[in-house]
Every structure is written in structure tokens, then in C-alpha cells.
Amino acid sequence: MPLIKPYPNRKLYDMEAKKYVTLDEIALIVRQGQDVQVVDHESGDDLTNLTLSQIIFEQEKKKTGFLPRSILTSLIRTGGDTLDYL
């Protein structure tokens, strides 16, 4: 599982590939079936969910309708429990 560390300069570093990556590249890794873990470089806090949410947000900005509104609404209403069956 690739370990990604964000640095204060807002760059994301893939510790496994030993290179800086973009949110789009992380999205590609996930689409290829790999899980990723994003851990803050300084504090060690797990930022994976925040980063994946940011990827969805950026995709929504680029493409209207990346996710159907009903799924987004459902996620907010249930706090994510909707997708527990996956």
C-alpha cells in the first residue's frame, strides 16, 4: 500500500515510489485497485479520508456530476454508513 506524506509546502510525497505525486495521481492509484494511506509528515496524523474527500471535491469541480447528487446527499445524511456494504 503506497504511503503518501503531505509536506508543509503542500506537496504530496509517495514514500514507496520516492516521488512527489498529485491528487490526480493518487486517484489513479485508487482506480487501479490499490489502497493508499496518507499520513502527515510532522504529526503522524492519518489524513487518508481527508485526502480522498479532497480528490472527490476536485473531481466534482472538474466534471459536473462525477457523483450523483443522491449519493452525496446520502453520504451527508448517514455519515458514510450508506457504503458499509461495499
Coordinates of all heavy atoms in Angstrom, one line a residue:
M1 N 0.9 -1.2 0.0 CA 0.0 0.0 0.0 C 0.9 1.2 0.0 O 1.7 1.4 0.9 CB -0.9 0.0 1.2 CG -1.6 1.3 1.5 SD -2.6 1.4 3.0 CE -3.1 -0.2 3.4
P2 N 0.7 2.1 -1.0 CA 1.5 3.3 -1.0 C 1.3 4.2 0.2 O 0.1 4.4 0.6 CB 1.1 4.0 -2.3 CG 0.5 2.9 -3.2 CD -0.1 2.0 -2.2
L3 N 2.3 4.7 0.8 CA 2.3 5.6 1.9 C 2.6 7.0 1.3 O 3.7 7.3 0.8 CB 3.3 5.3 3.0 CG 3.4 6.2 4.1 CD1 2.1 6.3 4.9 CD2 4.5 5.8 5.1
I4 N 1.6 7.9 1.5 CA 1.8 9.3 1.0 C 1.9 10.2 2.2 O 1.2 10.1 3.1 CB 0.5 9.7 0.1 CG1 0.2 8.7 -0.9 CG2 0.8 11.1 -0.5 CD1 1.1 8.5 -2.0
K5 N 2.9 11.1 2.1 CA 3.1 12.1 3.2 C 3.0 13.5 2.6 O 3.8 13.9 1.7 CB 4.5 11.9 3.8 CG 4.5 10.6 4.6 CD 5.7 10.6 5.5 CE 5.7 9.4 6.4 NZ 6.8 9.5 7.4
P6 N 2.0 14.3 3.1 CA 2.0 15.7 2.7 C 3.0 16.5 3.5 O 3.2 16.3 4.7 CB 0.6 16.2 3.0 CG 0.0 15.1 3.9 CD 0.9 13.9 3.9
Y7 N 3.6 17.4 2.8 CA 4.7 18.3 3.4 C 4.1 19.7 3.6 O 3.1 20.1 2.9 CB 5.9 18.2 2.6 CG 6.7 16.9 2.9 CD1 6.4 15.8 2.2 CD2 7.7 16.9 3.8 CE1 7.0 14.6 2.4 CE2 8.4 15.7 4.1 CZ 8.0 14.6 3.4 OH 8.7 13.4 3.7
P8 N 4.7 20.5 4.4 CA 4.3 21.9 4.6 C 4.1 22.7 3.3 O 3.3 23.6 3.2 CB 5.3 22.5 5.5 CG 5.9 21.4 6.2 CD 5.9 20.2 5.3
N9 N 4.9 22.4 2.3 CA 4.8 23.1 1.0 C 3.6 22.7 0.2 O 3.5 23.0 -1.0 CB 6.1 23.0 0.2 CG 6.4 21.5 -0.1 OD1 5.7 20.6 0.1 ND2 7.6 21.3 -0.7
R10 N 2.7 21.8 0.8 CA 1.5 21.3 0.2 C 1.8 20.3 -0.9 O 0.9 19.9 -1.6 CB 0.7 22.4 -0.4 CG 0.2 23.4 0.7 CD -0.7 24.5 0.1 NE -1.8 23.9 -0.6 CZ -3.1 23.9 -0.3 NH1 -3.4 24.6 0.8 NH2 -4.0 23.4 -1.0
K11 N 3.0 19.8 -1.0 CA 3.3 18.7 -1.9 C 3.1 17.4 -1.3 O 3.3 17.3 -0.1 CB 4.8 18.8 -2.4 CG 5.0 20.0 -3.4 CD 6.4 19.9 -4.0 CE 6.6 21.0 -5.0 NZ 7.9 20.9 -5.6
L12 N 2.7 16.4 -2.1 CA 2.4 15.1 -1.6 C 3.6 14.2 -2.1 O 3.9 14.1 -3.2 CB 1.1 14.6 -2.1 CG -0.1 15.4 -1.8 CD1 -1.3 15.1 -2.7 CD2 -0.5 15.2 -0.3
Y13 N 4.1 13.4 -1.1 CA 5.3 12.6 -1.5 C 4.9 11.1 -1.3 O 4.5 10.7 -0.2 CB 6.5 12.9 -0.6 CG 7.8 12.3 -1.1 CD1 8.5 12.8 -2.2 CD2 8.3 11.2 -0.5 CE1 9.6 12.3 -2.6 CE2 9.5 10.6 -0.9 CZ 10.1 11.1 -2.0 OH 11.3 10.6 -2.4
D14 N 5.1 10.3 -2.3 CA 4.8 8.9 -2.3 C 6.1 8.2 -1.8 O 7.1 8.2 -2.5 CB 4.5 8.4 -3.7 CG 4.1 6.9 -3.7 OD1 4.6 6.1 -2.9 OD2 3.4 6.5 -4.7
M15 N 6.1 7.7 -0.6 CA 7.3 7.1 0.0 C 7.7 5.8 -0.7 O 8.9 5.5 -0.7 CB 7.0 6.8 1.5 CG 6.6 8.0 2.3 SD 7.8 9.4 2.3 CE 9.0 8.6 3.4
E16 N 6.8 5.1 -1.3 CA 7.1 3.9 -2.0 C 7.7 4.1 -3.3 O 8.8 3.5 -3.6 CB 5.8 3.1 -2.2 CG 6.0 1.7 -2.8 CD 4.7 1.0 -2.9 OE1 4.2 0.4 -1.9 OE2 4.1 1.0 -4.0
A17 N 7.2 5.0 -4.1 CA 7.7 5.4 -5.4 C 8.9 6.4 -5.3 O 9.5 6.6 -6.3 CB 6.6 5.9 -6.3
K18 N 9.0 7.0 -4.2 CA 10.0 8.0 -3.9 C 9.9 9.2 -4.9 O 10.9 9.5 -5.6 CB 11.4 7.4 -4.0 CG 11.6 6.3 -2.9 CD 13.1 5.9 -2.8 CE 13.3 4.7 -1.9 NZ 12.6 4.7 -0.6
K19 N 8.7 9.7 -5.0 CA 8.5 10.9 -5.9 C 7.3 11.7 -5.4 O 6.4 11.2 -4.7 CB 8.3 10.5 -7.3 CG 7.0 9.7 -7.5 CD 6.8 9.4 -9.0 CE 5.4 8.8 -9.2 NZ 5.0 8.9 -10.6
Y20 N 7.2 12.9 -5.8 CA 6.1 13.8 -5.5 C 4.9 13.3 -6.4 O 5.2 13.0 -7.6 CB 6.4 15.2 -5.7 CG 7.3 15.8 -4.6 CD1 8.6 16.0 -4.8 CD2 6.7 16.1 -3.4 CE1 9.4 16.5 -3.8 CE2 7.5 16.6 -2.3 CZ 8.9 16.8 -2.6 OH 9.7 17.3 -1.6
V21 N 3.7 13.4 -5.9 CA 2.5 13.0 -6.7 C 1.5 14.0 -6.5 O 1.5 14.8 -5.6 CB 2.0 11.6 -6.2 CG1 2.9 10.5 -6.5 CG2 1.6 11.6 -4.7
T22 N 0.5 14.0 -7.4 CA -0.6 15.0 -7.4 C -1.8 14.2 -6.9 O -1.8 13.0 -6.8 CB -0.9 15.5 -8.8 OG1 -1.3 14.4 -9.6 CG2 0.3 16.2 -9.4
L23 N -2.9 14.9 -6.6 CA -4.2 14.3 -6.2 C -4.7 13.4 -7.4 O -5.2 12.4 -7.1 CB -5.2 15.4 -5.9 CG -5.0 16.1 -4.5 CD1 -6.1 17.2 -4.4 CD2 -5.0 15.2 -3.4
D24 N -4.5 13.9 -8.6 CA -4.9 13.1 -9.7 C -4.2 11.8 -9.8 O -4.7 10.7 -10.2 CB -4.7 13.8 -11.1 CG -5.7 15.0 -11.3 OD1 -6.8 14.9 -10.6 OD2 -5.4 15.9 -12.0
E25 N -2.9 11.8 -9.5 CA -2.1 10.5 -9.5 C -2.5 9.6 -8.3 O -2.6 8.4 -8.5 CB -0.6 10.8 -9.4 CG -0.1 11.5 -10.6 CD 1.4 12.0 -10.5 OE1 1.6 12.7 -9.5 OE2 2.2 11.7 -11.4
I26 N -2.9 10.2 -7.2 CA -3.4 9.3 -6.1 C -4.7 8.7 -6.5 O -5.0 7.5 -6.3 CB -3.6 10.1 -4.8 CG1 -2.2 10.6 -4.3 CG2 -4.3 9.3 -3.7 CD1 -2.2 11.5 -3.1
A27 N -5.6 9.5 -7.2 CA -6.9 9.0 -7.7 C -6.6 7.8 -8.7 O -7.4 6.8 -8.6 CB -7.7 10.1 -8.4
L28 N -5.7 7.9 -9.5 CA -5.3 6.9 -10.5 C -4.9 5.6 -9.7 O -5.3 4.5 -10.1 CB -4.2 7.3 -11.4 CG -3.8 6.3 -12.5 CD1 -5.0 5.9 -13.4 CD2 -2.7 6.9 -13.3
I29 N -4.1 5.8 -8.7 CA -3.6 4.6 -7.9 C -4.9 3.9 -7.3 O -5.0 2.7 -7.3 CB -2.7 5.1 -6.7 CG1 -1.4 5.6 -7.3 CG2 -2.5 3.9 -5.7 CD1 -0.5 6.3 -6.3
V30 N -5.8 4.7 -6.8 CA -7.0 4.1 -6.2 C -7.9 3.4 -7.2 O -8.4 2.3 -7.0 CB -7.8 5.2 -5.4 CG1 -9.2 4.6 -4.9 CG2 -7.0 5.7 -4.2
R31 N -8.0 4.1 -8.4 CA -8.8 3.5 -9.5 C -8.2 2.2 -10.0 O -8.9 1.3 -10.5 CB -8.9 4.4 -10.7 CG -9.9 5.5 -10.4 CD -10.1 6.4 -11.7 NE -10.8 7.6 -11.3 CZ -10.1 8.8 -11.2 NH1 -8.9 8.9 -11.6 NH2 -10.8 9.8 -10.9
Q32 N -6.9 2.0 -9.8 CA -6.2 0.8 -10.2 C -6.3 -0.3 -9.2 O -5.8 -1.4 -9.4 CB -4.7 1.1 -10.5 CG -4.5 1.9 -11.7 CD -3.0 2.3 -11.9 OE1 -2.2 2.3 -10.9 NE2 -2.7 2.8 -13.1
G33 N -7.1 0.0 -8.1 CA -7.4 -1.1 -7.1 C -6.5 -1.1 -5.9 O -6.7 -1.9 -5.0
Q34 N -5.6 -0.1 -5.8 CA -4.7 -0.1 -4.6 C -5.3 0.8 -3.6 O -5.9 1.8 -3.9 CB -3.3 0.4 -5.0 CG -2.5 -0.5 -5.9 CD -1.1 0.0 -6.0 OE1 -0.4 0.3 -5.0 NE2 -0.7 0.3 -7.2
D35 N -5.1 0.5 -2.3 CA -5.4 1.4 -1.2 C -4.2 2.3 -1.0 O -3.1 1.9 -1.3 CB -5.7 0.6 0.1 CG -7.0 -0.2 0.0 OD1 -8.0 0.3 -0.7 OD2 -7.1 -1.2 0.7
V36 N -4.5 3.4 -0.5 CA -3.4 4.3 -0.1 C -3.5 4.8 1.3 O -4.7 4.7 1.9 CB -3.3 5.6 -1.0 CG1 -3.0 5.2 -2.5 CG2 -4.5 6.4 -0.9
Q37 N -2.5 5.2 1.9 CA -2.5 5.7 3.3 C -1.8 7.1 3.2 O -0.7 7.2 2.7 CB -1.9 4.8 4.3 CG -2.0 5.4 5.7 CD -1.4 4.4 6.7 OE1 -0.7 3.5 6.4 NE2 -1.7 4.7 8.0
V38 N -2.5 8.1 3.7 CA -1.9 9.4 3.7 C -1.7 9.8 5.2 O -2.6 9.8 6.0 CB -2.8 10.5 3.0 CG1 -2.1 11.8 3.0 CG2 -3.1 10.0 1.6
V39 N -0.4 10.1 5.6 CA 0.0 10.3 6.9 C 0.7 11.7 7.0 O 1.7 11.8 6.2 CB 0.8 9.2 7.5 CG1 1.3 9.5 8.9 CG2 0.1 7.9 7.5
D40 N 0.3 12.6 7.9 CA 1.0 13.8 8.0 C 2.5 13.6 8.3 O 2.8 12.9 9.2 CB 0.3 14.7 9.1 CG 0.9 16.1 9.1 OD1 0.7 16.9 8.2 OD2 1.7 16.4 10.1
H41 N 3.3 14.3 7.6 CA 4.8 14.2 7.8 C 5.2 14.6 9.2 O 6.1 13.9 9.8 CB 5.5 15.1 6.8 CG 7.0 15.2 7.0 ND1 7.8 14.1 6.8 CD2 7.8 16.2 7.4 CE1 9.1 14.5 7.1 NE2 9.1 15.8 7.4
E42 N 4.7 15.6 9.8 CA 5.1 16.1 11.1 C 4.4 15.4 12.3 O 5.0 14.9 13.2 CB 5.0 17.6 11.2 CG 5.9 18.3 10.3 CD 5.8 19.8 10.3 OE1 5.0 20.3 11.2 OE2 6.4 20.5 9.5
S43 N 3.1 15.4 12.2 CA 2.3 14.9 13.4 C 2.1 13.4 13.3 O 1.8 12.8 14.4 CB 1.0 15.6 13.4 OG 0.2 15.2 12.3
G44 N 2.1 12.8 12.2 CA 1.8 11.4 12.0 C 0.3 11.1 12.0 O -0.1 10.0 11.9
D45 N -0.5 12.2 11.9 CA -2.0 12.0 11.9 C -2.4 11.4 10.5 O -1.8 11.7 9.5 CB -2.7 13.4 12.0 CG -2.6 14.0 13.3 OD1 -2.2 13.3 14.3 OD2 -2.8 15.2 13.4
D46 N -3.4 10.5 10.6 CA -3.9 9.8 9.4 C -4.8 10.8 8.6 O -5.8 11.3 9.2 CB -4.7 8.6 9.7 CG -5.1 7.8 8.5 OD1 -5.1 8.3 7.4 OD2 -5.4 6.6 8.7
L47 N -4.4 11.2 7.4 CA -5.1 12.2 6.6 C -5.8 11.5 5.4 O -6.2 12.2 4.4 CB -4.2 13.3 6.2 CG -3.5 14.1 7.3 CD1 -2.5 15.1 6.7 CD2 -4.5 14.7 8.2
T48 N -5.9 10.2 5.4 CA -6.3 9.4 4.2 C -7.8 9.9 3.9 O -8.0 10.2 2.7 CB -6.3 7.9 4.5 OG1 -5.0 7.6 4.9 CG2 -6.7 7.1 3.2
N49 N -8.7 9.8 4.8 CA -10.1 10.2 4.5 C -10.2 11.6 4.0 O -10.9 11.9 3.0 CB -11.0 9.9 5.7 CG -11.2 8.5 6.0 OD1 -10.8 7.6 5.2 ND2 -11.8 8.2 7.1
L50 N -9.5 12.5 4.6 CA -9.5 13.9 4.2 C -9.0 14.0 2.8 O -9.6 14.7 1.9 CB -8.7 14.8 5.1 CG -8.5 16.2 4.8 CD1 -9.9 16.9 4.9 CD2 -7.6 16.9 5.7
T51 N -7.9 13.3 2.4 CA -7.3 13.4 1.1 C -8.2 12.8 0.1 O -8.4 13.4 -1.0 CB -5.9 12.7 1.1 OG1 -5.1 13.3 2.1 CG2 -5.3 12.8 -0.3
L52 N -8.8 11.7 0.4 CA -9.8 11.0 -0.6 C -11.0 11.9 -0.8 O -11.5 12.1 -1.9 CB -10.2 9.7 -0.1 CG -9.1 8.6 0.0 CD1 -9.6 7.3 0.6 CD2 -8.5 8.4 -1.4
S53 N -11.5 12.6 0.3 CA -12.6 13.5 0.1 C -12.2 14.7 -0.7 O -13.0 15.2 -1.6 CB -13.0 14.1 1.5 OG -13.5 13.0 2.3
Q54 N -10.9 15.2 -0.6 CA -10.4 16.3 -1.4 C -10.4 15.9 -2.9 O -10.7 16.7 -3.8 CB -9.0 16.7 -0.9 CG -8.5 17.9 -1.6 CD -7.2 18.4 -1.0 OE1 -6.6 17.7 -0.1 NE2 -6.7 19.5 -1.5
I55 N -10.0 14.6 -3.2 CA -10.0 14.1 -4.5 C -11.4 14.2 -5.1 O -11.6 14.6 -6.3 CB -9.4 12.7 -4.6 CG1 -7.9 12.8 -4.3 CG2 -9.7 12.1 -6.0 CD1 -7.2 11.4 -4.1
I56 N -12.4 13.7 -4.4 CA -13.8 13.8 -4.8 C -14.2 15.2 -5.1 O -14.8 15.5 -6.1 CB -14.7 13.1 -3.8 CG1 -14.4 11.6 -3.8 CG2 -16.2 13.3 -4.2 CD1 -15.1 10.8 -2.8
F57 N -13.8 16.1 -4.2 CA -14.2 17.5 -4.3 C -13.6 18.1 -5.6 O -14.2 18.8 -6.4 CB -13.7 18.3 -3.1 CG -13.9 19.8 -3.2 CD1 -15.2 20.3 -3.1 CD2 -12.8 20.6 -3.5 CE1 -15.4 21.7 -3.2 CE2 -13.0 22.0 -3.6 CZ -14.3 22.5 -3.5
E58 N -12.3 17.8 -5.9 CA -11.6 18.3 -7.1 C -12.2 17.7 -8.3 O -12.4 18.4 -9.3 CB -10.1 18.0 -7.0 CG -9.4 18.8 -5.9 CD -9.4 20.3 -6.1 OE1 -9.4 20.8 -7.2 OE2 -9.5 21.0 -5.1
Q59 N -12.6 16.4 -8.3 CA -13.2 15.8 -9.4 C -14.6 16.5 -9.7 O -15.0 16.7 -10.9 CB -13.4 14.3 -9.2 CG -12.1 13.5 -9.2 CD -11.4 13.5 -10.6 OE1 -12.0 13.3 -11.6 NE2 -10.1 13.8 -10.5
E60 N -15.3 16.8 -8.7 CA -16.6 17.5 -8.8 C -16.4 18.8 -9.5 O -17.2 19.3 -10.3 CB -17.3 17.6 -7.5 CG -18.1 16.4 -7.1 CD -19.3 16.0 -8.0 OE1 -20.0 16.9 -8.5 OE2 -19.4 14.8 -8.2
K61 N -15.4 19.5 -9.1 CA -15.1 20.8 -9.7 C -14.8 20.7 -11.2 O -15.2 21.6 -12.0 CB -13.9 21.5 -9.0 CG -14.3 22.1 -7.7 CD -13.2 22.9 -6.9 CE -12.0 23.3 -7.6 NZ -11.0 23.9 -6.7
K62 N -14.1 19.7 -11.5 CA -13.7 19.5 -12.9 C -14.8 19.0 -13.8 O -15.0 19.4 -14.9 CB -12.5 18.5 -13.0 CG -11.2 19.1 -12.5 CD -10.1 18.0 -12.6 CE -8.9 18.5 -11.9 NZ -7.8 17.5 -11.9
K63 N -15.6 18.0 -13.3 CA -16.7 17.4 -14.0 C -17.9 17.5 -13.2 O -18.1 16.8 -12.2 CB -16.4 15.9 -14.2 CG -15.1 15.5 -14.9 CD -15.0 14.0 -15.0 CE -13.6 13.5 -14.8 NZ -13.5 12.1 -14.7
T64 N -18.9 18.2 -13.7 CA -20.2 18.2 -13.1 C -20.8 16.8 -13.1 O -20.8 16.2 -14.2 CB -21.1 19.2 -13.8 OG1 -20.5 20.5 -13.8 CG2 -22.4 19.3 -13.1
G65 N -21.2 16.3 -12.0 CA -21.9 15.0 -12.0 C -20.9 13.9 -11.8 O -21.3 12.7 -12.2
F66 N -19.7 14.1 -11.3 CA -18.8 13.0 -11.0 C -19.5 11.9 -10.2 O -19.5 10.8 -10.4 CB -17.5 13.5 -10.4 CG -16.6 12.4 -9.9 CD1 -15.9 11.7 -10.8 CD2 -16.4 12.2 -8.6 CE1 -15.0 10.7 -10.4 CE2 -15.5 11.2 -8.1 CZ -14.8 10.4 -9.1
L67 N -20.2 12.4 -9.1 CA -21.0 11.6 -8.3 C -22.4 12.1 -8.3 O -22.6 13.3 -8.3 CB -20.5 11.6 -6.8 CG -19.3 10.8 -6.5 CD1 -18.9 11.0 -5.1 CD2 -19.5 9.3 -6.8
P68 N -23.4 11.2 -8.4 CA -24.8 11.7 -8.4 C -25.1 12.4 -7.1 O -24.6 12.0 -6.1 CB -25.6 10.4 -8.6 CG -24.7 9.4 -9.1 CD -23.3 9.8 -8.6
R69 N -25.9 13.4 -7.2 CA -26.3 14.2 -6.0 C -26.9 13.3 -5.0 O -26.7 13.5 -3.8 CB -27.3 15.3 -6.4 CG -27.7 16.2 -5.3 CD -28.6 17.3 -5.7 NE -27.8 18.2 -6.6 CZ -28.4 19.1 -7.3 NH1 -29.7 19.3 -7.3 NH2 -27.7 19.8 -8.2
S70 N -27.6 12.3 -5.4 CA -28.3 11.4 -4.4 C -27.3 10.7 -3.5 O -27.5 10.5 -2.3 CB -29.2 10.4 -5.1 OG -28.4 9.6 -6.0
I71 N -26.1 10.3 -4.1 CA -25.1 9.7 -3.3 C -24.4 10.7 -2.4 O -24.2 10.3 -1.2 CB -24.0 9.0 -4.2 CG1 -24.6 7.8 -4.9 CG2 -22.8 8.6 -3.5 CD1 -23.7 7.1 -5.9
L72 N -24.2 11.9 -2.8 CA -23.6 12.9 -2.0 C -24.5 13.2 -0.8 O -24.1 13.3 0.3 CB -23.2 14.1 -2.8 CG -22.2 14.0 -3.9 CD1 -22.1 15.2 -4.8 CD2 -20.8 13.7 -3.3
T73 N -25.8 13.4 -1.1 CA -26.7 13.7 -0.1 C -26.8 12.6 0.9 O -26.9 12.8 2.1 CB -28.1 13.9 -0.7 OG1 -28.0 15.0 -1.7 CG2 -29.2 14.3 0.3
S74 N -26.8 11.3 0.4 CA -26.9 10.2 1.3 C -25.7 10.1 2.2 O -25.8 9.7 3.4 CB -27.0 8.9 0.4 OG -27.8 8.0 1.0
L75 N -24.5 10.4 1.7 CA -23.3 10.3 2.5 C -23.4 11.3 3.6 O -23.0 11.0 4.8 CB -22.1 10.6 1.6 CG -21.6 9.5 0.8 CD1 -20.5 10.0 -0.2 CD2 -21.0 8.4 1.6
I76 N -23.9 12.5 3.4 CA -24.0 13.5 4.4 C -25.0 13.1 5.4 O -24.8 13.3 6.6 CB -24.4 14.9 3.8 CG1 -23.2 15.4 2.9 CG2 -24.8 15.9 4.8 CD1 -23.5 16.6 2.0
R77 N -26.2 12.6 5.0 CA -27.2 12.3 5.9 C -26.9 11.1 6.8 O -27.2 11.1 8.0 CB -28.5 11.9 5.1 CG -29.2 13.1 4.6 CD -30.5 12.7 3.9 NE -31.1 13.9 3.4 CZ -31.8 13.9 2.2 NH1 -32.0 12.8 1.6 NH2 -32.3 15.0 1.8
T78 N -26.1 10.1 6.3 CA -25.8 8.9 7.1 C -24.4 8.9 7.7 O -24.1 8.0 8.4 CB -26.0 7.7 6.2 OG1 -25.1 7.7 5.1 CG2 -27.4 7.5 5.7
G79 N -23.6 9.9 7.3 CA -22.3 9.9 7.8 C -21.4 8.9 7.2 O -20.4 8.5 7.8
G80 N -21.8 8.4 6.1 CA -20.9 7.4 5.4 C -21.4 5.9 5.6 O -20.9 5.0 4.9
D81 N -22.3 5.7 6.5 CA -22.8 4.4 6.8 C -23.4 3.7 5.6 O -23.5 2.5 5.5 CB -23.8 4.3 8.0 CG -23.1 4.7 9.3 OD1 -21.8 4.5 9.4 OD2 -23.8 5.1 10.2
T82 N -23.9 4.5 4.6 CA -24.6 4.0 3.4 C -23.7 3.1 2.6 O -24.1 2.1 2.1 CB -24.9 5.2 2.5 OG1 -25.7 6.1 3.2 CG2 -25.6 4.8 1.2
L83 N -22.4 3.3 2.7 CA -21.5 2.5 1.8 C -20.9 1.3 2.6 O -19.9 0.7 2.1 CB -20.4 3.4 1.3 CG -20.9 4.6 0.4 CD1 -19.7 5.4 0.0 CD2 -21.7 4.1 -0.8
D84 N -21.3 1.0 3.8 CA -20.8 -0.1 4.6 C -20.9 -1.4 3.9 O -20.1 -2.3 4.2 CB -21.4 -0.2 5.9 CG -20.9 0.9 6.9 OD1 -19.8 1.5 6.6 OD2 -21.5 1.1 8.0
Y85 N -21.8 -1.6 2.9 CA -22.0 -2.9 2.3 C -20.9 -3.1 1.2 O -20.8 -4.3 0.8 CB -23.4 -2.9 1.6 CG -23.6 -1.9 0.5 CD1 -23.2 -2.2 -0.8 CD2 -24.1 -0.7 0.8 CE1 -23.4 -1.3 -1.8 CE2 -24.3 0.3 -0.2 CZ -24.0 -0.1 -1.5 OH -24.2 0.9 -2.5
L86 N -20.1 -2.2 0.9 CA -19.1 -2.4 -0.2 C -17.9 -3.2 0.4 O -17.4 -3.1 1.4 CB -18.6 -1.0 -0.7 CG -19.6 -0.3 -1.5 CD1 -19.0 1.1 -1.9 CD2 -20.1 -1.0 -2.7

